[in-house]
C-alpha cells in the first residue's frame, strides 16, 4: 500500500559523495507534484537515478496536484498524449501501488461547425499517432449516452482509451519507483535557493544543508514563479482560481466517460460514485499575486456566484443534474 513508502531521511548529499554516471551531471528537482515525481521516475528509467535528488517544501503532492482532476486525454492527437495513457495504465502493475486508473473513455461535444472541423483534424492526427478515435453524430451520442443532451449539438469526438487517475496515488507510486532506482527524495525542505557561479547552476542551498548539482529543474507548480526569481529567471506563470464541485452520490455512474464541452467551458467525470464538475474558465480570476509559502493542501474560499454559471452549463449538458 502507499503507506509502506518510506522517504529518505538521510543527510542531504553534497558534491563530494554524490555518485555520477553517464555525462556526470547531477540533477536537482524542486517540487514533488505530478511533474516533479514523473521527471524523477523517468530519469531513473534512463539509468540516472543515483544522479537525481528531489526536494519538496512540504509533502509530495501537497501543492495543486492534490486536487487535480486526474484527466488523461489524447484530444491533441500527439504521441506524448498516447504515451501518457500507456504509462499510467502500467504504473500500478509495475509498482504494486493503486493509482486509481480507469480507462473510461472520453466524449467531447461540439456546438459549432468550427469545433467539428477541429475534430476532423484531431481524427487525422489520431491515425498518425496510432490511437483510436471516432466522430459521432448527435443521434449516435444519444444512442450511446442518453444522459447527455444531444438535440443542440453538432456532434462529438469519442476517444475510447482516454482515462482518469487519482493524482495523489500516482505521485506516491512514481516516487516509490523512483526511489527504487536510486533517486533521493526529501520532504519538508524549506528555504531552498538556487546557487550559481554567475554563469551556471552549482547547487541548491537549504536552511541547514546544501546540495551540489549541475542542473536544477523547476517543477514548483504554483510556486514556480517564486522559485525562478531565486535564480533571477522570470517564469511567466500566474496562479488563477479554478473551481470544481462534486454532486451527491448518484447510481449508475460506473460506465460514465469523461465529458468535455469546450464551447461551454466545462468538463465532467465520475469520481467515487459522484460527478466531479469543473471548468476550462476563460474568465478565471487571479488567485494570488504571490502564492503563500504555506499554502499546502490549500483551498480557496467558495465563490457560489462564479461556480453557479459553471453548474448551469453542466445541467444543460446533463439534464438529470437539474
Amino acid at each position: 500500500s502507499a503507506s509502506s513508502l518510506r522517504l529518505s531521511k538521510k543527510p542531504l548529499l553534497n558534491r563530494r559523495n554524490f555518485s555520477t554516471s553517464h555525462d556526470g551531471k547531477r540533477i536537482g528537482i524542486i517540487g514533488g507534484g505530478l511533474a516533479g515525481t514523473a521527471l524523477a521516475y523517468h530519469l531513473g528509467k534512463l539509468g540516472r537515478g543515483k544522479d537525481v535528488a528531489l526536494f519538496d517544501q512540504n509533502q509530495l503532492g501537497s501543492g495543486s496536484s492534490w486536487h487535480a482532476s486526474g484527466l488523461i486525454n489524447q484530444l491533441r492527437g500527439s504521441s506524448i498524449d498516447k504515451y501518457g495513457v500507456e504509462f499510467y495504465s502500467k504504473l500500478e502493475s509495475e509498482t504494486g501501488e493503486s493509482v486509481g486508473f480507469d480507462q473510461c473513455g472520453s466524449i467531447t461535444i461540439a456546438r459549432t461547425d468550427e469545433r467539428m472541423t477541429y475534430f476532423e483534424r484531431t481524427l487525422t492526427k489520431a491515425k498518425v499517432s496510432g490511437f483510436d478515435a471516432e466522430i459521432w453524430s448527435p443521434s449516435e451520442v444519444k444512442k450511446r449516452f442518453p444522459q447527455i443532451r444531444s438535440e443542440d449539438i453538432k456532434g462529438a469526438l469519442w476517444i475510447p482509451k482516454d482515462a482518469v487517475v487519482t493524482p495523489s496515488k500516482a505521485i506516491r507510486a512514481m516516487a516509490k519507483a523512483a526511489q527504487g532506482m536510486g533517486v533521493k527524495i526529501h520532504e519538508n525542505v524549506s528555504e531552498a535557493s538556487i546557487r550559481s557561479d554567475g554563469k551556471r547552476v552549482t547547487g541548491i542551498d537549504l536552511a541547514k544543508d546544501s546540495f551540489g548539482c549541475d542542473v536544477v529543474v523547476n517543477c514548483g507548480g504554483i510556486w514556480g514563479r517564486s522559485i525562478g526569481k531565486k535564480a533571477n529567471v522570470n517564469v511567466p506563470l500566474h496562479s488563477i482560481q479554478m473551481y470544481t464541485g462534486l454532486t451527491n452520490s448518484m447510481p449508475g455512474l460506473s460506465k460514465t466517460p469523461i465529458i468535455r464541452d469546450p464551447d461551454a467551458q466545462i468538463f465532467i467525470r465520475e469520481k467515487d460514485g459522484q460527478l466531479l464538475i469543473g471548468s476550462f474558465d476563460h474568465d478565471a480570476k487571479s488567485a494570488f499575486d504571490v502564492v503563500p509559502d504555506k499554502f499546502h493542501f490549500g483551498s480557496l474560499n467558495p465563490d457560489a456566484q462564479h461556480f453557479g454559471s459553471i453548474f448551469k452549463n453542466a445541467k444543460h449538458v446533463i439534464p438529470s443534474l437539474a
Side-chain angles (χ1 to χ4, degrees), residues 213-279:
C213 61
D214 306 280
V215 177
V216 172
V217 186
N218 181 353
C219 294
I222 58 175
W223 290 278
R225 188 178 182 187
S226 299
I227 293 169
K229 284 185 176 180
K230 295 178 180 180
N232 296 316
V233 174
N234 183 36
V235 179
L237 181 71
H238 189 82
S239 296
I240 60 171
Q241 300 178 23
M242 180 178 178
Y243 287 95
T244 58
L246 277 171
T247 67
N248 293 326
S249 294
M250 301 172 65
L253 295 181
S254 60
K255 300 298 182 181
T256 302
I258 302 164
I259 301 169
R260 301 186 191 88
D261 187 342
D263 297 308
Q265 303 175 32
I266 63 166
F267 66 87
I268 302 169
R269 61 153 292 194
E270 185 276 335
K271 184 177 181 181
D272 301 326
Q274 303 166 287
L275 288 180
L276 174 71
I277 301 167
S279 175

Side-chain angles (χ1 to χ4, degrees), residues 21-311:
S21 62
H22 300 278
D23 60 5
K25 292 187 181 297
R26 296 165 293 268
I27 304 166
I29 302 170
I30 299 179
L34 279 166
T37 52
L39 176 59
Y41 169 93
H42 284 88
L43 285 170
K45 281 291 187 181
L46 292 172
R48 299 298 301 270
K50 293 183 179 179
D51 296 337
V52 179
L54 182 150
F55 306 92
D56 195 274
Q57 63 180 340
N58 196 264
Q59 296 178 43
L60 296 182
S62 60
S64 57
S65 292
W66 80 270
H67 56 69
S69 301
L71 310 183
I72 309 172
N73 71 80
Q74 303 169 91
L75 185 59
R76 290 168 294 193
S78 69
S79 56
I80 190 67
D81 293 330
K82 180 186 176 186
Y83 171 74
V85 171
E86 294 171 349
F87 168 69
Y88 283 110
S89 69
K90 299 174 182 176
L91 186 59
E92 184 168 330
S93 61
E94 177 185 340
T95 63
E97 299 283 333
S98 171
V99 299
F101 182 82
D102 179 14
Q103 201 154 40
C104 56
S106 75
I107 182 168
T108 305
I109 294 168
R111 298 189 179 280
T112 65
D113 292 332
E114 291 80 8
R115 185 74 60 189
M116 287 298 292
T117 299
Y118 173 72
F119 287 172
E120 293 283 358
R121 292 172 180 165
T122 301
L123 196 63
T124 300
K125 290 190 289 184
K127 292 177 181 177
V128 173
S129 298
F131 69 86
D132 298 330
E134 301 174 18
I135 291 180
W136 288 352
S137 66
S139 60
E140 186 70 13
V141 173
K142 189 68 175 178
K143 177 182 176 182
R144 300 289 190 98
F145 298 107
Q147 68 268 41
I148 298 175
R149 187 194 301 269
S150 60
E151 58 265 27
D152 59 351
I153 66 175
K154 298 287 185 177
L157 182 69
W158 167 245
I159 304 179
K161 292 187 178 180
D162 274 4
V164 295
V165 72
T166 303
S168 58
K169 293 181 178 180
I171 287 169
R172 304 303 289 188
M174 289 187 290
K176 177 182 178 180
Q179 285 187 306
M181 293 181 283
V183 174
K184 298 296 185 292
I185 296 179
H186 304 275
E187 295 180 290
N188 300 304
V189 175
S190 60
E191 301 178 33
S193 61
I194 300 169
R195 179 176 10 106
S196 74
D197 60 8
K199 295 181 180 179
R200 58 184 299 164
V201 165
T202 59
I204 299 173
D205 291 328
L206 309 166
K208 297 181 179 180
D209 214 324
S210 64
F211 169 74
C213 61
D214 306 280
V215 177
V216 172
V217 186
N218 181 353
C219 294
I222 58 175
W223 290 278
R225 188 178 182 187
S226 299
I227 293 169
K229 284 185 176 180
K230 295 178 180 180
N232 296 316
V233 174
N234 183 36
V235 179
L237 181 71
H238 189 82
S239 296
I240 60 171
Q241 300 178 23
M242 180 178 178
Y243 287 95
T244 58
L246 277 171
T247 67
N248 293 326
S249 294
M250 301 172 65
L253 295 181
S254 60
K255 300 298 182 181
T256 302
I258 302 164
I259 301 169
R260 301 186 191 88
D261 187 342
D263 297 308
Q265 303 175 32
I266 63 166
F267 66 87
I268 302 169
R269 61 153 292 194
E270 185 276 335
K271 184 177 181 181
D272 301 326
Q274 303 166 287
L275 288 180
L276 174 71
I277 301 167
S279 175
F280 312 107
D281 198 342
H282 295 177
D283 299 313
K285 302 177 182 178
S286 172
F288 305 102
D289 289 330
V290 178
V291 182
D293 288 340
K294 303 299 182 182
F295 192 70
H296 305 110
F297 299 107
S299 297
L300 301 172
N301 293 326
D303 186 336
Q305 181 177 0
H306 188 72
F307 188 75
S309 61
I310 298 170
F311 188 56

